Amino acid sequence: MTSHRRAPPAAILLLSLALAGCTASRQVAPAAQATTSGWALAIHGGAGVMDRETMSADTQAAYRAALQAALDKGASVLNQGGSALDAAENVVRTLEDDPLFNAGRGAVFTAAGRNELDAAIMDGATVKAGAVAGITGTRNPISLARAVMEKSPHVMLIGAGAETFGQQNGVEQAAPAWFFTERRWQSLKRTLAERGLPVPARPPGVGPEPVPVAKTDQMPEDRKFGTVGVVVRDRAGHLAAATSTGGTTAKLWGRVGDVPIIGAGTYANDESCAVSATGTGEYFIRLGVAREICNLVTYKGLSLQQAADEVIQKRLTALGGDGGIIAVAPDGTLAWSFNTSGMYRARQSEGQAPVIGIFRNEP
Ligand code: ASP
């Protein structure tokens, strides 16, 4: 078979080198961390308005400890030779079970007072993906997403059908009370009051509202954010991405965010990169953020950090969107970029010390 591919003319090569140089000079995000072998892992726990002065030392310490625990979980899977996919699922399960984050237990509420959860997982080696949306009765939506990927002929299942599929495939169920936290309920009440909307009845099984309601300073931007995500490169060089969320506080019935939309909030391909996003999902869907970053790496020759900054610092910001991403390249290079004042984040490469941050002006 004859190949019709030709080497690009020198002028095009020069132009793309110049473009890459321009983007590099405008970089504003923290430097990427590269590795040539071994595993690499990055985690986010949501992005938003985060202020060092107003977040108490205890709250900061709680988030840093939770991120460290999630890193440890991923590292232990990868140190035993586990796959990127297994590490990604296990890290997200840990974060879903932690009520600090807006995923699984601790998820935000819809305007109707329910937890409706979205999640997705993608395997860079096979470019297979599984996603679920509008989940109300599955303890770990990320495991349901993985079951969709591995045990169904589909990529995405939603609502009651997805729950039935989970029950049929032995995915652990949970009652509404499992997901409930008073902090998120109070956040819903504040948001509904601002919008002049009625407050729904408390979910079944959670009991009456405590009097007085405990005051918390946790996560200043309480009304949204706190989604969790992970990107992984395993020792074999395979990539995976996984993301899980309760969405945005007081979202309307049936609203689906970017997280389960493959290419928007979650994407992985061994040929280019793996990305997990967090932020106001509507913007991430419109820009196809995760896939766009990988496309810039593949087709424009940008470095992972340049591609992440191009999409987050320039395109997302220009559209008025807010949030950030974590990413990993096939060689294990890790990157993150966000245009909010903070993003709960952590990264580690095999044999190196972990880096954990909350506020913008950290490593
Ligand atoms: N991206 C999520 C959504 O829009 C929310 C978040 O990341 O905080 O559903």
Side-chain angles (χ1 to χ4, degrees):
M1 208 198 273
T2 320
S3 168
H4 295 286
R5 296 180 75 182
R6 286 189 308 153
I12 294 182
L13 274 179
L14 281 174
L15 182 63
S16 37
L17 282 173
L19 277 173
C22 286
T23 313
S25 66
R26 288 194 294 265
Q27 264 190 57
V28 292
Q33 180 177 330
T35 172
T36 49
S37 64
W39 54 257
L41 169 69
I43 295 169
H44 72 72
V49 177
M50 295 173 193
D51 183 2
R52 198 188 283 272
E53 277 66 51
T54 55
M55 195 187 293
S56 76
D58 283 355
T59 299
Q60 291 181 39
Y63 277 101
R64 288 180 199 277
L67 290 165
Q68 182 66 64
L71 272 184
D72 291 346
K73 170 60 81 175
S76 94
V77 172
L78 294 163
N79 279 331
Q80 289 165 41
S83 69
L85 205 57
D86 283 344
E89 182 189 1
N90 276 286
V91 167
V92 169
R93 284 176 64 97
T94 302
L95 295 165
E96 283 177 337
D97 282 351
D98 188 330
L100 283 176
F101 298 98
N102 171 20
R105 190 169 176 220
V108 300
F109 291 93
T110 65
R114 287 152 52 96
N115 299 114
E116 293 184 4
L117 313 170
D118 299 342
I121 191 163
M122 189 157 183
D123 179 7
T126 57
V127 204
K128 284 186 175 172
V132 291
I135 298 305
T136 58
T138 301
R139 174 171 168 168
N140 294 107
I142 200 65
S143 295
L144 183 55
R146 185 166 180 179
V148 170
M149 177 175 85
E150 292 179 338
K151 297 177 183 166
S152 90
H154 306 298
V155 168
M156 186 191 285
L157 295 179
I158 63 164
E163 311 273 14
T164 303
F165 173 80
Q167 287 154 16
Q168 287 171 353
N169 284 278
V171 178
E172 188 177 347
Q173 305 295 295
W178 165 256
F179 304 105
F180 182 92
T181 53
E182 195 61 47
R183 163 193 169 201
R184 298 293 192 186
W185 187 258
Q186 295 305 321
S187 165
L188 172 69
K189 284 178 67 178
R190 282 195 295 276
T191 306
L192 292 175
E194 279 165 27
R195 295 182 191 171
L197 295 170
V199 176
R202 287 165 75 84
V206 303
E209 186 166 301
V211 185
V213 174
K215 195 176 172 312
T216 69
D217 72 338
Q218 290 182 357
M219 203 147 73
E221 182 73 355
D222 220 8
R223 287 173 301 136
K224 45 186 182 177
F225 305 126
T227 290
V228 304
V230 58
V231 292
V232 191
R233 185 253 202 206
D234 62 25
R235 282 178 175 164
H238 297 306
L239 307 186
T243 320
S244 182
T245 189
T248 50
T249 297
K251 65 185 179 182
L252 297 181
W253 14 243
R255 181 264 189 191
V256 176
D258 59 315
V259 165
I261 310 288
I262 298 304
T266 309
Y267 188 71
N269 187 332
D270 278 7
E271 304 276 306
S272 54
C273 72
V275 175
S276 171
T278 177
T280 305
E282 283 70 10
Y283 295 95
F284 286 72
I285 295 172
R286 289 164 62 196
L287 287 172
V289 162
R291 180 74 192 266
E292 185 71 352
I293 290 170
C294 295
N295 283 347
L296 288 173
V297 169
T298 305
Y299 300 120
K300 242 187 167 182
L302 299 193
S303 75
L304 190 64
Q305 189 68 58
Q306 287 169 343
D309 288 340
E310 166 68 28
V311 174
I312 298 301
Q313 308 299 335
K314 289 206 236 155
R315 300 185 195 184
L316 179 71
T317 305
L319 215 58
D322 50 353
I325 62 94
I326 51 172
V328 66
D331 70 354
T333 299
L334 295 167
W336 52 46
S337 189
F338 52 96
N339 68 358
T340 47
S341 57
M343 180 166 84
Y344 298 111
R345 60 197 185 278
R347 68 186 184 203
Q348 188 167 13
S349 300
E350 186 168 2
Q352 295 180 31
V355 177
I356 297 179
I358 298 177
F359 307 106
R360 173 170 282 284
N361 55 351
E362 293 184 74

